Amino acid sequence: MSTSLDDLRTGLEELRRANLEALAKARSVDEVEQTRIATLGRARGGLNDYKAHITALPPADRPAFGALFNTVKQELEQAIASRHAELSASAPAPAAVDLSMPARRQWRGARHPVTIVLAEIEAIFRDLGFTVATGPEAEHEWYNFGALNFPPDHPAMDMHDTLYLERGGLLRTHTSPVQIRTLQSYPPPIRIIAPGNVFRRDFFDASHAPMFAQIEGMAVDEGVSFVDLKATLANFANRFFGETKTRFRPSFFPFTEPSAEMDVACRICNGTGCATCKQTGWVEILGCGMMHPSVLEAAGLDAQRYTGWAFGMGPGRMALQRFGIPDIRIEYDSDISFLEQFAQ
Ligand code: DAH
């Protein structure tokens, strides 16, 4: 830039003219802001370019140019402020609220019925002094069968029921292996429940699924008896289903002796007989029994000194009873209209 007074004056006046014109044309507060930055800011091409030249002029020219500089600066500042005010006042008002519009639907998450049942069962047993134990889903054959006193040719070990893994081991067919793992990890007294998923090569029908949740329970100490088993499980049923009749039927499991199954009066028909209870008025909810001495011994315990009882139940089936769900496959469907009924 030339530094003669005339050139500076011309440049400054051109800057004023161009920017006043830009302001007049500005259609938005943003455009005014751009002009402000270009003229009053530090970037090249604005007023700042001229400021340095004031001191470079011969002393005689300085007052006149200084005065012009100040006038242009003030003029631009005022023009910017007033255009800014004008444009913000005339900015379009926000769209009016349409009160007739339907409200947006609020989606509330729900816990799955089986999760609800699992949590309730856990809470009841915690209250009775049980702690929660876990074990792996991919399990050794010994923990799943051998240690639990299954004879080597037991039909449950058949390829038809068990999912064997290619590199050895299997997917546990029940939560009972957690009994052995727990007995190996600390000494009695032991009271645990073990919730978890189990896997079977079952058909997928109204009451069977190839993967489902189980809850194992076990109490081991000196002098534990079948009376403790019956009292604990009947107490549990009353708390879980509300006051209910229970009955114990003799049964068989390789890992318990004696073994039993516990039934509760059918919730759907109140014990009078319906399709769900196959007209019997009773529904089986768990298997149980006194732990077989060989099981205690397989886990390294002295079966002369200790006794124990155990049970296994299926929260998926219990949820059918509890919520009156007719078909277990619904529990696996991820059907929102079914699941949202459980929102609390
Ligand atoms: N493990 C058995 C099953 O999956 C259920 C069971 C029955 C577990 C009796 C137990 C028990 O602990 O005592 O069918």
Side-chain angles (χ1 to χ4, degrees), residues 43 96 183 215 254 331:
L183 292 172
I215 296 191
E331 291 178 355

Side-chain angles (χ1 to χ4, degrees), residues 18-290:
N19 283 294
L20 289 178
E21 191 181 306
L23 283 171
K25 281 191 191 149
R27 286 286 161 270
S28 69
V29 171
D30 272 357
E31 285 174 48
V32 175
E33 181 61 10
Q34 278 163 25
T35 309
R36 188 189 66 77
I37 293 167
T39 52
L40 305 178
R42 293 182 179 280
R44 292 198 127 264
L47 276 173
N48 215 34
D49 287 356
Y50 292 88
K51 204 168 175 181
H53 289 294
I54 299 177
T55 45
L57 284 169
D61 293 340
R62 285 181 203 166
F65 184 71
L68 176 65
F69 179 90
N70 286 335
T71 319
V72 171
K73 187 168 178 230
Q74 274 169 22
E75 233 176 282
L76 284 171
E77 279 171 353
Q78 273 165 21
I80 287 166
S82 68
R83 191 72 184 126
H84 190 281
E86 258 172 57
L87 286 171
S88 32
S90 64
V97 177
D98 177 0
L99 293 174
S100 68
M101 230 161 90
R104 212 172 277 160
R105 178 159 181 188
Q106 297 285 315
W107 289 96
R108 245 198 295 156
R111 287 191 303 163
H112 191 280
V114 176
T115 307
I116 296 173
V117 162
L118 273 164
E120 283 183 19
I121 296 172
E122 271 185 42
I124 294 171
F125 279 100
R126 272 183 203 279
D127 220 35
L128 294 171
F130 286 67
T131 53
V132 172
T134 55
E137 292 181 346
E139 188 53 283
H140 297 284
E141 217 169 312
W142 184 78
Y143 281 101
N144 196 79
F145 294 124
L148 290 164
N149 199 36
F150 281 76
D153 57 351
H154 193 281
M157 298 167 71
D158 205 298
M159 287 298 287
H160 295 290
D161 292 330
T162 303
L163 292 153
Y164 287 91
L165 298 170
E166 257 169 31
R167 283 183 286 164
L170 44 75
L171 293 180
R172 66 178 177 192
T173 59
H174 52 179
T175 42
S176 303
V178 184
Q179 291 186 20
I180 308 297
R181 290 184 173 274
T182 307
L183 292 172
Q184 285 180 334
S185 50
Y186 61 96
I190 292 176
R191 272 181 303 211
I192 54 119
I193 56 164
N197 288 329
V198 303
F199 307 83
R200 291 190 194 168
R201 281 178 60 151
D202 248 336
F203 292 108
F204 201 10
D205 64 22
S207 51
H208 295 87
M211 191 224 38
F212 55 97
Q214 267 196 347
I215 296 191
E216 194 75 14
M218 174 176 75
V220 180
D221 200 358
E222 292 178 25
V224 165
S225 75
F226 201 86
V227 175
D228 304 315
L229 179 164
K230 270 191 89 171
T232 309
L233 294 178
N235 176 284
F236 160 75
N238 282 324
R239 290 167 78 162
F240 182 80
F241 289 109
E243 210 54 37
T244 182
K245 278 198 268 181
T246 47
R247 73 173 184 187
F248 288 78
R249 281 179 293 103
S251 184
F252 175 80
F253 301 102
F255 36 90
T256 45
E257 183 57 38
S259 306
E261 279 170 336
M262 185 175 86
D263 297 344
V264 294
C266 180
R267 314 297 299 164
I268 317 274
C269 61
N270 266 323
T272 56
C274 67
T276 306
C277 61
K278 300 195 185 90
Q279 309 304 328
T280 61
W282 295 96
V283 189
E284 179 211 317
I285 62 157
L286 57 83
C288 59
M290 295 306 295

